[in-house]
Each structure stands twice: as structure tokens, then as C-alpha cells.
Amino acid sequence: MSYRFIASDLDGTLLDQHHAVNSLTAATLQTLEARGVQFALATGRHHLDVKGIRQALGVRAHLITSNGARIHDPDGKLIHSHDIPPQLARALAQPEFAVGAILNFYLDDEWLIDQPCQDFLDMHRDSGLQYRISKLAEHDGVGVGKVLYIGEHDHLLRVEQALQQRFGAQLYITFSLENCLEVMAAGVSKGHALGLVLQRLGIDPAHCLAFGDGQNDVELLRAAGHPRLMGNAHPRLSGELPDARRIASNAESGVAQHLRELFAL
């Protein structure tokens, strides 16, 4: 099989247990790029954050960010954008859904949050991305690519249910981590974005490998001809893709180890 394209989630997948790039992963991707393989980094993170991760990896990758609400090419040009309708973004910021969680808006070039969150600053330390505290319940809702609720998992499960009941198919609602419930416009997903990138490059999905561990990776894995589940994959994802091949965990550099085996590096 000729693998021409690799798409990978970041946290829990390509990055290690400390949310960092390790030397084995960077060296592996650089070797494959020299052989003509192309890449996409597909994540719920903001594109301003992922630029630093791409630099640390040392490859020219497309960036699929905010779970597919934004796509940037390897030169940093925005090639796809899909915002939440403003009236829905305004509704998502109201106390009915936001109380009990930390609320975030991802805009094109800014990360807004309604209260401080040191854990998220720590997670973004390497990129230097900083949030700005804002009264999001008063935001006009324009230009919002992603709404993110951070909180206890049991609470977020109730928020997820309430959002599904209220908005149904008007929004794409998914978990990226146990404490991160993410909301995008209907039709947005990592898988849809990957399809757009592959179409742009003229690459058949049959030549694409994809790696993921979280619930927001299901569409990404389904869009690729060769899906791979991390050893640490969430049970919901495993249940959605029972036949997908499972590899080692991100803490074991599972993606790099699998690629080195597959490409005989």
C-alpha cells in the first residue's frame, strides 16, 4: 500500500502525555516528509497554538483546527472557515448552558474566556497562546468558530444532553477530553476538513492514514482509508470504530512507532 498522506490528532495522539512533541515523533515525520508524504494536524486547538506545534515537528503540515472550523495550508493561508451562526453562539453563552463550566470562544485570531483557567495556560505554555477574559454572555456571537465548555465530566454530560435537546442538528457537539465539551457549526468536523484537504491535493482517501484517540476524532478516522486507534483511545471512540487497528498509546510514542514499522524506518 502506498501511503501518501497522514492526518493526526494532537493531544492524546501525536503529543506525549505532557502535551509535548518528542524527538522520536519529530524525526519520524521529517523522514517521511523527505520521502514525499504529506501531513495534516487535526485538533480542537486554536490555529495560533498549533503553529508552534507544527514548528516543533519540523514539517510542512496543513492545520485543521477548532475541530475543522478552520483549515490553514502549510504556508499559513486560511483556506476554509465555518463559524457558528451568531444567534446560536449568543445562546450558547447564556447561563442556561454556561453556569458550572468555564466558557471559551475561539475566534480567528483570539481566544476569549469568561474566567481564569491556569490549567489551560499551562497546556498552551509552549506556544505562548494567551486568552483574554471577556463577558461572553454579552458577546455578539460574530466570528465564533468554536465554543468550549471546561468542567467536571458529569456536569458536561448534562450540558451535552441539554444542548442536543435544544439545538439538535443545528450544531456539532463533541468531547475532546473528559473535561472539554466542544461545540461547532453543523457540518463542521475533522473528517469533513480532511476530505477538503485531500480533495485540494488530489489524494484519494485510500492513500491516507489517520490517528486519533478522542470522541472528536471519529469523523477524521472514518474519512481516512486507514484509521488507527491509540491504545489510550476513549471507549466511546472504540465503540464507534470496533474494526479499526489499535496501536500503542501516546505515552509510548505510538504514532511514531507504528509509522516506523509501517515504512520500515
Side-chain angles (χ1 to χ4, degrees), residues 80-237:
H80 176 74
S81 177
H82 191 168
D83 289 334
I84 299 170
Q87 71 275 16
L88 295 184
R90 292 194 298 269
L92 292 169
Q94 299 312 305
E96 178 182 0
F97 306 110
V99 166
I102 300 172
L103 180 66
N104 301 253
F105 279 5
Y106 279 17
L107 284 69
D108 265 328
D109 295 306
E110 194 168 28
W111 169 19
L112 304 179
I113 195 167
D114 70 346
Q115 56 191 287
C117 181
Q118 186 59 46
D119 286 348
F120 257 50
L121 285 180
D122 293 343
M123 187 173 172
H124 296 80
R125 183 184 293 114
D126 289 346
S127 69
L129 180 64
Q130 299 278 322
Y131 55 62
R132 179 168 66 86
I133 297 175
S134 178
K135 295 180 179 179
L136 296 183
E138 301 174 6
H139 195 279
D140 63 9
V142 174
V144 179
K146 184 180 88 168
V147 172
L148 167 63
Y149 302 93
I150 306 169
E152 295 295 328
H153 185 62
D154 287 346
H155 174 73
L156 294 182
L157 286 172
R158 294 190 290 272
V159 176
E160 178 191 31
Q161 183 179 28
L163 293 174
Q164 293 286 9
Q165 290 175 347
R166 171 77 175 273
F167 300 107
Q170 296 181 79
L171 295 167
Y172 170 51
I173 304 163
T174 186
F175 279 90
S176 57
L177 298 169
E178 291 284 290
N179 65 337
C180 295
L181 180 64
E182 316 215 348
V183 184
M184 285 66 57
V188 169
S189 73
K190 294 181 183 182
H192 179 256
L194 175 60
L196 294 177
V197 172
L198 293 176
Q199 183 179 34
R200 184 172 187 261
L201 297 175
I203 296 175
D204 192 291
H207 298 286
C208 177
L209 278 160
F211 298 88
D213 76 296
Q215 297 172 51
N216 61 333
D217 294 321
V218 61
E219 293 88 357
L220 177 77
L221 297 174
R222 285 176 173 160
H226 304 276
R228 300 290 189 264
L229 288 179
M230 304 304 294
N232 52 287
H234 192 280
R236 271 201 198 179
L237 180 64

Side-chain angles (χ1 to χ4, degrees), residues 11-82:
D11 297 290
T13 302
L14 196 66
L15 303 181
D16 66 18
Q17 67 271 37
H18 306 295
H19 304 282
V21 172
N22 67 42
S23 58
L24 178 66
T25 298
T28 300
L29 297 194
Q30 291 167 22
T31 298
L32 293 180
E33 182 175 56
R35 294 187 180 187
V37 178
Q38 299 184 71
F39 304 95
L41 306 179
T43 176
R45 290 186 183 228
H46 197 288
H47 76 92
L48 294 175
D49 184 29
V50 185
K51 285 168 61 178
I53 296 172
R54 177 174 60 186
Q55 183 176 6
L57 288 167
V59 295
R60 287 177 49 78
H62 280 77
L63 302 184
I64 295 171
T65 57
S66 296
N67 290 313
R70 300 288 186 272
I71 306 174
H72 290 79
D73 72 9
D75 295 314
K77 179 183 177 182
L78 179 67
I79 58 175
H80 176 74
S81 177
H82 191 168

